[in-house]
Amino acid sequence: MSDQVHPLENQIALVTGASTGIGRQSAFALAEAGAAVVVNYIGERAPADEVVAKIEARGGQALAIEADVSSEAQVEAMFRASCERFGTLHILVNNAGIEKDCAFTEMPLADWQKVIDVNLTGQFLCSRAAIREYLRRGPQPRISKATGKIICISSVHQRIPWAKHANYAASKGGVMLLVETLAQEFASRKIRVNSVAPGAIKTAINHAAWATEDALDKLLEMIPYGRVGDAADVGNAIVWLCSDAADYVTGTTLVVDGGMTLYPSFSTGEG
């Protein structure tokens, strides 16, 4: 079995929010690269079981675990169950996230708090549990050059302000500095921490932005590359960042946005 075809062979990955959207495709991509995958979900179990079944049908290993990433007790229980099943963990993909958009002056405190709890505190709790396991286990150089890898799913809105989404943008800005700080703190222990910042990706959470021809045309005005992203674009980036090919990469954000952050309104060069 070629390392280039299966660069994550014999590794165990946990993906939060893996039953739909970017998380779902990331789970498939990691499995195709050779990893066993823990499929985290909350709520309806059937979509998570479908992800597991598809991975197993292609010869992979997977396990669905329900956990609210904003709950310390549930996160700790999920990591214990994952390690009981697979022995350890090598990769964490912090993907779970929500939006609750509202004009700032009308935003309920509960909506602010819920987005921060899931999008930022959830990444803290899962990252802490993963790093504790990486340090407990120690290096396994025949499996991975890094002792452990963490990929945090951020957003172009860690850089682009977003009116009526103050809670979401604040959470993603926090993710950016969480990633950089963890990467700095644990680089000496060979733990790599990076993020992927997607732009417009065709998922259910932003369906209205691309579902009609008029909406799609308006969206494409912000994307120089001329297409809306697919969840597979993000999954491919995650696999590379988790592989030994990216072993010298830590504390950085890989932006996957078709050029959305390149100020496309300036592309004509006109003043």
Side-chain angles (χ1 to χ4, degrees):
M1 196 174 284
S2 169
D3 289 343
Q4 292 182 336
V5 176
H6 298 97
L8 305 180
E9 186 177 5
N10 296 321
Q11 298 189 45
I12 315 302
L14 188 156
V15 183
T16 65
S19 61
T20 62
I22 288 172
R24 173 187 173 93
Q25 188 58 49
S26 299
F28 290 148
L30 290 163
E32 285 294 312
V37 183
V38 177
V39 177
N40 163 253
Y41 73 99
I42 188 169
E44 186 180 359
R45 184 181 178 91
D49 284 342
E50 181 185 356
V51 174
V52 170
K54 288 188 174 182
I55 290 173
E56 291 179 340
R58 295 181 65 86
Q61 297 183 70
L63 171 68
I65 300 180
E66 182 174 16
D68 177 352
V69 298
S70 68
S71 165
E72 181 176 25
Q74 292 186 39
V75 166
E76 293 298 319
M78 174 173 64
F79 276 79
R80 283 196 302 271
S82 300
C83 291
E84 286 171 5
R85 168 67 182 274
F86 294 112
T88 188
L89 189 75
H90 303 91
I91 296 164
L92 167 66
V93 179
N94 275 319
N95 168 73
I98 60 172
E99 292 180 20
K100 287 184 175 289
D101 55 300
C102 183
F104 185 72
T105 53
E106 307 301 322
M107 183 176 289
L109 175 59
D111 285 3
W112 168 272
Q113 193 64 61
K114 184 62 175 178
V115 170
I116 298 298
D117 285 349
V118 174
N119 294 10
L120 185 55
T121 303
Q123 297 212 17
F124 154 72
L125 290 171
C126 291
S127 297
R128 187 181 66 177
I131 290 172
R132 285 172 172 172
E133 171 59 18
Y134 300 158
L135 295 176
R136 182 204 66 78
R137 170 179 39 79
Q140 292 182 320
R142 286 193 285 185
I143 293 177
S144 172
K145 291 181 179 179
T147 301
K149 286 90 62 159
I150 295 174
I151 308 297
C152 295
I153 302 302
S154 183
S155 166
V156 292
H157 294 294
Q158 71 176 39
R159 292 175 52 184
I160 302 174
W162 199 10
K164 300 183 180 179
H165 295 78
N167 46 6
Y168 184 83
S171 73
K172 295 305 183 179
V175 167
M176 178 182 70
L177 276 172
L178 176 65
V179 165
E180 293 175 358
T181 301
L182 294 181
Q184 180 193 69
E185 185 169 350
F186 293 101
S188 65
R189 307 299 295 272
K190 294 296 184 288
I191 295 172
R192 297 195 294 108
V193 186
N194 293 290
S195 65
V196 174
I201 306 295
K202 284 189 176 181
T203 61
I205 199 170
N206 64 1
H207 182 263
W210 50 267
T212 68
E213 186 174 346
D214 287 346
L216 180 60
D217 288 344
K218 185 176 180 180
L219 180 60
L220 290 175
E221 290 177 3
M222 297 186 288
I223 306 173
Y225 202 63
R227 71 171 176 89
V228 180
D230 185 83
D233 295 313
V234 181
N236 292 337
I238 289 170
V239 168
W240 180 76
L241 281 172
C242 290
S243 73
D244 281 352
D247 186 59
Y248 202 50
V249 180
T250 193
T252 196
T253 297
L254 178 54
V255 180
V256 181
D257 72 342
M260 182 179 279
T261 51
L262 299 177
Y263 298 94
S265 61
F266 287 84
S267 63
T268 63
E270 297 176 359

